[in-house]
Amino acid sequence: MKRLALFALFAVACNRTEPVQPVQKAAPPAMAATGNATRGQEMIAQYGCNVCHIVPGINGPQGSLGPSLAGIASRPTISAANVPNTQANLVQFIQNPGSLNPQSSMPPIALAPEDAKDIVAYLQTLK
């Protein structure tokens, strides 16, 4: 009888349910800009990005051959929605668009890696 009571108590304890607490996931760390946005703005003018694109904050002609870069920092994708809009992808895309989207009409540009990072830092200010 004592065994039966212990077994019943054990069974009840094992079947007891605790309220499930939702697992809270930590927010992913924000990607720190690795470039200099002020210098990036200068590089955009120097490389003539605004000849093909509308680039807010850049003086001079504004092109329409490529897409406007206004609000690019708020877009989830780039290159006709074919490439996720991440800092690393932007750097790579600016240097060699065909490596991420072979259908891109943007030509590869011989940019120093630091110049590309600075340009991306500026583009990330265009929300």
Side-chain angles (χ1 to χ4, degrees), residues 37 39-70 72 90-91 93-97 105-112 114-123 126:
R39 187 170 178 280
Q41 186 176 17
E42 295 167 4
M43 293 293 97
I44 287 172
Q46 180 179 323
Y47 284 103
C49 303
N50 55 301
V51 172
C52 292
H53 300 277
I54 293 171
V55 188
I58 304 299
N59 293 324
Q62 298 287 309
S64 60
L65 183 61
S68 170
L69 300 180
I72 190 167
L90 277 170
V91 169
F93 189 81
I94 288 170
Q95 293 176 302
N96 186 5
S105 59
M106 183 170 155
I109 302 171
L111 290 172
E114 289 306 312
D115 290 352
K117 289 178 185 176
D118 291 343
I119 288 171
V120 168
Y122 179 72
L123 293 177
L126 303 178

Side-chain angles (χ1 to χ4, degrees), residues 87-103:
Q87 185 177 18
N89 282 350
L90 277 170
V91 169
Q92 183 177 344
F93 189 81
I94 288 170
Q95 293 176 302
N96 186 5
S99 68
L100 292 173
N101 180 6
Q103 307 306 315

